[in-house]
Amino acid sequence: MSTTTPTSKLPKMRVDLRQYGILAALAVIVILFQILTDGRLLLPGNLNNLIQQNAYVLILAVGMVIVIIAGHIDLSVGSVVAMVGAVAAISMSQWGLPWWAAVIISLLLGAAVGAWQGFWVAFVGIPAFIVTLAGMLLFRGLTLVFLTGGTINALPGEFNAIGGGWLPEALGTIGEGRGSRDILTIVLGVLAVAMLITQQARSRAKQRKLDLPVERSASFWIKNGVAAVVILALTFQLSAYRGTPIILIILAVLILLFTFVLNQTVFGRHVYAIGGNLFAAQMSGVKTSWINFFVFVNMGVLAGLAGVVTTARAGGAVASAGQSFELDAIAAVFIGGAAVTGGVGTVIGAVIGALIMGVLNMGLSILSVDAAWQQTIKGLVLLLAVAFDVMSKRRAGRR
């Protein structure tokens, strides 16, 4: 007579084919451009540029996915980026403040902007589309007022390093000359893999202990094995070009923090509840007005951080900064699997969407594709992503 262990009775978690589909799409695009560019896409210098040039999209996409999960939209983030960058530059060049004080002022200004917009959306009841459209005009106008149509350059080196600097080679290098590699970057890659595997294994063990559905073993280890190989390959390549970009550390902290907030906190569960069914959330006692308010405050803080990073990367503030940033962030979120109707989306999905946008930008630039055709291709990718979302929902509804 055969026996069955308690573990084997645990329900198996269905594999999220949609999530893996987005990841597969990123892998296909990377391989395609790697072939078309004769291997230039993944050169160490290009990988470094891919991270630093697209940092603003990644930061804004992390905030935008929370806004969209809650069932809103924010069209003003590009203008907020420009205005915060202008104030940061003015505070250092004209007020004589140190770079760290300028960063704090920028984040507080971003929070104030978010509170302003959150007030009109959450407590007055004006649709976010209208409030943030007005914000887009308002903050772009204030940027022109602050900069009086000009630019501010010659910012401190410490500030510029936030967007375009690297961690020091604290542990030395392996090899010499052009073939040398930064040891600290390789160590950080190994630590990242160890933390990822440990966290995933602990989460899986906790689910087993609570008799919750768990992912199948084969799928679990293949997924984490692929992630480990990608992280190690990425850090190995980066180690050959000046080491670890400072912005990569900031991005890693943001991704870990907001993944935790959305998945493990009451605030995150309430955001999903509001986006999934507002009436049910209100009947359940969720304080929807305050949740919506803090969703926009959070978006404002991240837009302020994006303003700091963009200004630091450019080495100065210009009135035209942040043009179309809101469209890049929104496109990244929808490509990454967020639902148009709200209630669905993940930080990791938004990051993958932003990376797809970044690889498209870099790959097409290396191939010297005209800017007009680049916009056309990105528009088609966004349309296909949303169409895939709609068809997936329709298929799920028939089951």
Side-chain angles (χ1 to χ4, degrees):
M1 184 175 67
S2 62
T3 59
T4 307
T5 63
T7 302
S8 64
K9 292 180 180 176
L10 290 176
K12 297 296 183 183
M13 184 182 293
R14 180 174 294 173
V15 175
D16 188 349
L17 294 177
R18 195 170 189 284
Q19 181 182 357
Y20 285 97
I22 297 166
L23 204 53
L26 174 60
V28 168
I29 291 173
V30 170
I31 293 171
L32 176 65
F33 278 110
Q34 181 72 352
I35 295 172
L36 293 176
T37 60
D38 297 325
R40 284 179 290 166
L41 179 71
L42 297 181
L43 288 175
N46 285 338
L47 268 180
N48 179 84
N49 289 336
L50 179 66
I51 294 168
Q52 292 185 338
Q53 288 178 359
N54 293 281
Y56 76 89
V57 186
L58 289 159
I59 295 170
L60 293 176
V62 168
M64 190 66 76
V65 72
I66 299 175
V67 172
I68 288 175
I69 289 172
H72 303 295
I73 197 85
D74 192 334
L75 301 177
S76 67
V77 292
S79 298
V80 177
V81 166
M83 185 183 71
V84 170
V87 172
I90 290 171
S91 65
M92 288 180 283
S93 65
Q94 297 182 14
W95 302 345
L97 295 178
W99 68 271
W100 54 267
V103 172
I104 294 174
I105 288 174
S106 299
L107 298 180
L108 291 176
L109 179 59
V113 168
W116 164 263
Q117 300 194 126
F119 167 77
W120 293 107
V121 173
F123 299 115
V124 180
I126 300 175
F129 177 83
I130 302 299
V131 172
T132 57
L133 182 61
M136 180 173 69
L137 301 173
L138 170 63
F139 302 125
R140 181 64 64 183
L142 288 176
T143 304
L144 295 172
V145 171
F146 292 151
L147 294 177
T148 60
T151 62
I152 298 177
N153 296 314
L155 302 179
E158 296 89 342
F159 181 81
N160 292 338
I162 297 173
W166 298 265
L167 294 180
E169 296 177 345
L171 301 180
T173 59
I174 301 173
E176 296 180 354
R178 299 185 63 181
S180 65
R181 294 185 182 277
D182 178 43
I183 296 175
L184 177 61
T185 303
I186 297 174
V187 169
L188 288 175
V190 173
L191 288 176
V193 169
M195 290 175 62
L196 172 69
I197 301 295
T198 303
Q199 189 275 331
Q200 291 288 310
R202 290 180 62 182
S203 176
R204 181 179 171 81
K206 187 176 180 181
Q207 287 176 315
R208 280 183 179 278
K209 190 175 180 180
L210 297 173
D211 288 341
L212 295 174
V214 293
E215 191 174 1
R216 296 181 185 278
S217 296
S219 168
F220 176 82
W221 288 110
I222 289 174
K223 179 183 73 177
N224 286 288
V226 170
V229 170
V230 170
I231 292 172
L232 291 175
L234 174 65
T235 51
F236 189 71
Q237 283 291 84
L238 285 176
S239 69
Y241 185 85
R242 299 189 177 184
T244 306
I246 292 174
I247 190 62
L248 182 59
I249 303 298
I250 297 174
L251 291 172
V253 171
L254 285 180
I255 293 168
L256 290 174
L257 174 63
F258 282 97
T259 298
F260 175 80
V261 168
L262 270 185
N263 297 335
Q264 304 292 333
T265 66
V266 174
F267 174 78
R269 286 193 290 273
H270 285 179
V271 170
Y272 279 109
I274 290 173
N277 190 324
L278 177 60
F279 179 74
Q282 288 173 331
M283 292 300 101
S284 301
V286 176
K287 296 178 180 177
T288 55
S289 295
W290 281 105
I291 296 295
N292 283 326
F293 176 77
F294 284 113
V295 163
F296 279 93
V297 171
N298 177 69
M299 184 71 256
V301 173
L302 289 175
L305 178 60
V308 170
V309 170
T310 303
T311 307
R313 166 82 176 160
V318 294
S320 60
Q323 293 283 2
S324 301
F325 279 16
E326 59 278 347
L327 301 182
D328 289 340
I330 293 169
V333 170
F334 285 130
I335 290 172
V340 180
T341 52
V344 176
T346 63
V347 171
I348 298 298
V351 170
I352 294 173
L355 289 175
I356 288 177
M357 296 281 290
V359 172
L360 281 172
N361 283 332
M362 175 153 287
L364 293 171
S365 297
I366 293 175
L367 293 173
S368 301
V369 175
D370 185 76
W373 281 108
Q374 289 189 28
Q375 294 292 332
T376 305
I377 293 170
K378 287 192 291 185
L380 287 173
V381 170
L382 174 61
L383 180 62
L384 290 173
V386 176
F388 182 63
D389 171 60
V390 172
M391 287 188 289
S392 298
K393 280 187 174 178
R394 192 174 298 164
R395 192 179 300 116
R398 290 172 183 166
R399 290 174 181 169

